[in-house]
Amino acid sequence: MKTPTDTPMETPGETGAATAEGADAPRPGTRRRRPPLGSQRFGLAIAFLLLVAVFAAVSPEFRTLGNFFDVTRQVAVTAILAAGATLVILTGGIDLSVGSLVGLTALVSVAASAHGLPPVVALLLAVAAGAFVGLVNGALIARAGLSAFVVTLAALTWLRGVVYVGTSGGAVFTKDAWFAFFGQGAVAGVPMPALITLAVFAGCGLLLRRSVFGRHVVAVGANAEAARLTGVSVPRVLTRVYVISGVCAGIAGVIVGARLQSAVPDLGGGYELQAIAAVVLGGTSLSGGRGGIGGTLLGAMLIAVLVNGMTLLNVSSYYQLIIQGAVIVAAIALDRLRLRDGR
């Protein structure tokens, strides 16, 4: 009997791409297969460069080095959440709770800092809180067999309630300069949030590309029953991806709390949709089993540049919400088209 590692699988980092020369050539009487993931990323990169070129042409401030660093700070939270969401979506799941979880973990870290705990301890407490919520979500989905959509939508609601209780409907502040370094500091001129983002993506990339767990994530998303028959513990894989998503939300919450040096009840609202949009724009299919972490980072950067450019052009926040909503719809429609072409 073959073990999970003996079973041929696609490379997680480039799932869905052709595995042999000529694999994408159409057979007589059949429709052409969907394009490899690499070509989709190339198209996304072209769209990103065009967007940058447009904003650079119409806004001189967009071209400044200071604004570049602002974009790297702005992209950090969405990108880190999207990194965790990539693993969840690769299994065919969804996590709608990460926005509210950012609010909770920001509150945990800010409150810990305000009570005099060292910044590293505040960071660890926030990450532990995120991991615990991810474990609860994962257990309900993987062990109890509940719908990921229902479980994480419920978590979005109850987590927001916990934040309101924790803040008493107001705000919690900290004045710890070392804690603020996580969100406002820089190393050799590079913003700390950008460095944290790169570290998170490097870790998730290695996990997907170089580990047995990464192959199992892709296998579960492609066909959970087939993965189970080859010896993969599907409940364990599902639980772990939601824990990882919670850890990423904890890190993102610390960055937000450190940048603002405060936590308010509605902090983190809407981040879950931006993260999902970044994942889908990056080529990961909502149906699972196909995608990678590299495209996710590019998708998050595109969203950050779009928001930054509209802000510099003084586009009303109301219209910004409309445009961001249109981007999310376009991302989901693109995924449906890719799935239809694949069929």
Side-chain angles (χ1 to χ4, degrees), residues 68-87 123 181-187 190-206 244 247-256 259 271 275 278 293-302 304:
F68 171 77
F69 286 137
D70 285 343
V71 172
T72 62
R73 292 187 181 93
Q74 292 167 6
V75 75
V77 175
T78 299
I80 291 171
L81 292 176
T86 300
L87 274 70
L123 170 65
F181 182 77
F182 287 128
Q184 302 176 14
V187 176
V190 181
M192 192 63 183
L195 295 175
I196 296 173
T197 301
L198 292 176
V200 169
F201 270 82
C204 290
L206 287 174
I244 293 171
V247 168
C248 289
I251 296 172
V254 172
I255 292 176
V256 173
R259 187 175 65 200
Y271 274 129
I293 200 73
T296 295
L297 180 58
L298 191 55
M301 290 172 61
L302 187 147

Side-chain angles (χ1 to χ4, degrees), residues 170-229:
V172 177
F173 298 94
T174 179
K175 296 182 180 179
D176 189 334
W178 285 108
F179 175 72
F181 182 77
F182 287 128
Q184 302 176 14
V187 176
V190 181
M192 192 63 183
L195 295 175
I196 296 173
T197 301
L198 292 176
V200 169
F201 270 82
C204 290
L206 287 174
L207 195 63
L208 278 175
R209 287 175 176 269
R210 304 298 181 188
S211 72
V212 174
F213 172 72
R215 294 195 292 273
H216 288 177
V217 167
V218 175
V220 169
N223 190 322
E225 181 60 21
R228 185 188 65 81
L229 292 175

Side-chain angles (χ1 to χ4, degrees), residues 144-196:
L146 300 182
S147 163
F149 181 87
V150 172
V151 169
T152 59
L153 181 62
L156 179 153
T157 304
W158 72 259
L159 285 170
R160 186 63 62 195
V162 171
V163 176
Y164 269 97
V165 170
T167 60
S168 299
V172 177
F173 298 94
T174 179
K175 296 182 180 179
D176 189 334
W178 285 108
F179 175 72
F181 182 77
F182 287 128
Q184 302 176 14
V187 176
V190 181
M192 192 63 183
L195 295 175
I196 296 173

